[in-house]
Amino acid sequence: MVKRLFDTFHLDPPKILVLGFALIIFLGAFLLTLPAATVDGLGLSWLNALFTATSATCVTGLVVVDTGSTFTLFGQLVILSLIQVGGLGFMTFSTFFAFLVGKRISLRERLLLQESLNQVSMEGVVRLARRIMLFTIAIESAGGLLLGWRFSFDMPAGRAFYYGFFHSISNFNNAGFDLMGDFASLTYYVEDPLVNLVVCTLIILGGIGFIVMSELYEYRHTKRLSLHAKVVLATTAFLLAFGTVLIFLMEYTNPKTLQPLSLVGKVLASLYQSVTPRTAGSNTLSIGDLQQTTLLLIIFLMFIGASPGSTGGGIKTTTFATLLGAVFSQIRGKEDVIFFRQRILPSMIYKSLTVTVSGLFVVMLVTMLLTVTERGIDFLMILFEATSAFATTGLSMGLTPHLSPIGKIIIMLTMFAGRLGPLTIAFALAQRKQKEYFRYPKGKIMIG
């Protein structure tokens, strides 16, 4: 039905992605307003339901009500479904179900897949979509079983494995929703090695992107990785190590975070808080109790976010690496940006610059608007919230439940733009690109 509607209006792939996500959000919001969705039997108000559905579909994790204590099993399963569809993309699901019923994938559907998976060509997109589903089932199942086994020591087995699979799906999709209650996230397991390492692995795998996972899976046969995979893995490793060391040093003497923990607990907590800005949103330390320098570091890491073709947001690791490479090339007086003995095209540098500046503009605009709507709130708290929404991270210093109605709408729009990407929305709203028949003469201006 939805496909026929899109075909009737001859919508191009970016517009279909934008409208498709919007329809899923409104459907989820409607389900969350039903009496069966909440423990009190009243359902959520439309605004809170729309906020929760947007946060789940955009795999953000910002919540205005506590997920564990507010929603019934039905409401929690609605949220979990929105997370799964939002994380993988509705076109990936459509393709998977088409496989199950033996339906042929049309050219138009392949174009949509190419757009939703951020691929440069249609070659292999159907095979990639099928592999994405298989990877997802395998990784989420493994994570769910391990977490369920660990939680079974603290709660009945049935509830433990349900919690295990919920948190596995939520963290692999970089959503950050949790069922622990009282907005606590995973702070009860701050020193637990199994929970920390399993969840960190889920977040990292969800954040590096399915293209990279596919290449790693094939590496045993091909013995080679593409430039994209090398840049993603190198940048991710650098950011994780960089973040872990700095958080460990800056929070070591903080009596509200690392100081009371054992040495192993300090390392695990530092690693987790470095991993979660990959746009996961769960946390094992109270975010509001972190030092201001640590909060600024997390804002920086959230803005970078995950990698292309992943379940995460942000400007992406490859964008950051490309801009950093361009800066170092300019400083060294080099004309080309070289990664692993390969030259980056100038068009990629321009695109990286466009994505970064667009992201900065969105974060600054949202921050300015929230300083007007949320008067009396600390500026750093507002900047943190705006960056978290744009990067679809879901970390919060505690502002989300106290947002004004206008503030909730602003954050909803920011999460939506952050999930689809400012460029996708801009292309969806823009006219077709027109061919230029002439070029202006070169000009020079002073820089710096």
Side-chain angles (χ1 to χ4, degrees):
M1 176 180 162
V2 174
K3 181 180 179 298
R4 287 187 193 137
L5 180 65
F6 290 150
D7 288 339
T8 302
F9 290 98
H10 304 290
L11 299 176
D12 55 22
K15 288 189 177 72
I16 293 177
L17 290 179
V18 171
L19 292 176
F21 267 94
L23 286 173
I24 292 169
I25 289 170
F26 278 103
L27 175 60
F30 168 73
L31 293 175
L32 293 177
T33 61
L34 298 177
T38 56
V39 173
D40 60 12
L42 300 175
L44 286 186
S45 66
W46 252 107
L47 182 58
N48 284 344
L50 192 60
F51 189 100
T52 304
T54 303
S55 183
T57 307
C58 297
V59 289
T60 305
L62 292 174
V63 291
V64 289
V65 295
D66 182 67
T67 308
S69 59
T70 302
F71 296 102
T72 60
L73 177 62
F74 171 75
Q76 291 170 7
L77 290 177
V78 169
I79 291 172
L80 199 62
S81 300
L82 293 174
I83 290 172
Q84 192 73 86
V85 174
L88 300 185
F90 63 91
M91 278 310 302
T92 304
F93 270 92
S94 299
T95 305
F96 181 71
F97 287 125
F99 276 126
L100 293 181
V101 299
K103 180 179 174 294
R104 185 176 176 276
I105 309 301
S106 68
L107 177 62
R108 183 174 179 79
E109 289 166 336
R110 290 170 189 268
L111 285 169
L112 280 169
L113 265 178
Q114 177 191 343
E115 184 73 24
S116 64
L117 297 175
N118 196 25
Q119 296 296 288
V120 295
S121 71
M122 286 190 297
E123 184 181 358
V125 291
V126 175
R127 183 173 65 254
L128 177 60
R130 180 169 52 188
R131 183 168 285 182
I132 285 172
M133 292 301 301
L134 295 175
F135 282 161
T136 300
I137 293 170
I139 293 169
E140 290 178 351
S141 297
L145 290 172
L146 288 171
L147 291 176
W149 176 77
R150 173 60 187 87
F151 293 155
S152 66
F153 291 95
D154 303 325
M155 59 187 76
R159 183 181 169 199
F161 280 96
Y162 169 63
Y163 272 40
F165 276 91
F166 186 100
H167 290 89
S168 178
I169 293 170
S170 178
N171 284 285
F172 176 70
N173 286 283
N174 283 210
F177 281 80
D178 72 273
L179 300 177
M180 295 304 173
D182 199 28
F183 300 99
S185 193
L186 295 174
T187 53
Y188 301 126
Y189 295 93
V190 62
E191 294 192 84
D192 190 290
L194 180 65
V195 172
N196 278 265
L197 295 177
V198 169
V199 176
C200 283
T201 302
L202 289 168
I203 294 169
I204 292 169
L205 289 176
I208 61 175
F210 294 107
I211 297 95
V212 177
M213 273 196 285
S214 181
E215 287 194 35
L216 289 174
Y217 177 76
E218 294 177 346
Y219 183 78
R220 55 182 177 171
H221 301 299
T222 62
K223 301 300 180 184
R224 63 180 297 275
L225 293 173
S226 67
L227 176 62
H228 170 79
K230 291 177 182 177
V231 172
V232 165
L233 294 173
T235 308
T236 300
F238 166 75
L239 290 173
L240 291 179
F242 174 75
T244 301
V245 171
L246 284 186
I247 292 171
F248 182 86
L249 295 175
M250 293 187 292
E251 295 294 323
Y252 191 86
T253 57
N254 187 345
K256 296 181 179 180
T257 57
L258 292 188
Q259 190 184 60
L261 306 179
S262 65
L263 180 60
V264 173
K266 287 181 174 70
V267 173
L268 288 174
S270 300
L271 173 65
Y272 197 103
Q273 267 54 233
S274 178
V275 170
T276 196
R278 295 270 71 73
T279 81
S282 58
N283 54 282
T284 58
L285 295 176
S286 174
I287 299 299
D289 291 331
L290 295 172
Q291 306 278 13
Q292 288 192 345
T293 48
T294 307
L295 292 170
L296 285 172
L297 171 64
I298 291 177
I299 288 173
F300 170 71
L301 294 174
M302 287 194 300
F303 186 74
I304 296 172
S307 301
S310 71
T311 58
I315 62 170
K316 303 297 190 291
T317 53
T318 49
T319 303
F320 170 71
T322 301
L323 287 181
L324 202 62
V327 170
F328 280 121
S329 293
Q330 284 293 306
I331 291 174
R332 296 168 59 194
K334 304 289 185 180
E335 185 175 341
D336 295 328
V337 177
I338 307 297
F339 288 147
F340 299 99
R341 298 185 179 181
Q342 294 188 57
R343 179 169 57 90
I344 303 300
L345 295 175
S347 61
M348 295 296 100
I349 300 173
Y350 286 132
K351 187 175 181 180
S352 298
L353 184 61
T354 303
V355 169
T356 304
V357 173
S358 299
L360 284 171
F361 176 78
V362 171
V363 170
M364 290 299 103
L365 177 63
V366 172
T367 302
M368 289 173 61
L369 292 174
L370 290 178
T371 57
V372 175
T373 62
E374 316 303 312
R375 293 190 179 277
I377 302 298
D378 182 70
F379 176 77
L380 183 60
M381 184 178 286
I382 290 176
L383 177 61
F384 195 97
E385 192 85 4
T387 309
S388 180
F390 165 76
T392 68
T393 305
L395 293 175
S396 177
M397 294 175 64
L399 175 59
T400 314
H402 308 291
L403 288 169
S404 66
I406 298 177
K408 290 177 183 177
I409 294 171
I410 292 171
I411 292 296
M412 275 192 286
L413 293 173
T414 307
M415 291 189 291
F416 189 75
R419 178 66 183 103
L420 290 170
L423 285 181
T424 300
I425 295 178
F427 290 151
L429 298 176
Q431 300 294 326
R432 290 184 178 275
K433 185 178 179 182
Q434 296 182 350
K435 184 178 179 180
E436 295 181 351
Y437 294 98
F438 65 93
R439 299 179 72 183
Y440 289 99
K442 291 182 179 179
K444 293 184 178 180
I445 59 174
M446 297 178 66
I447 301 294

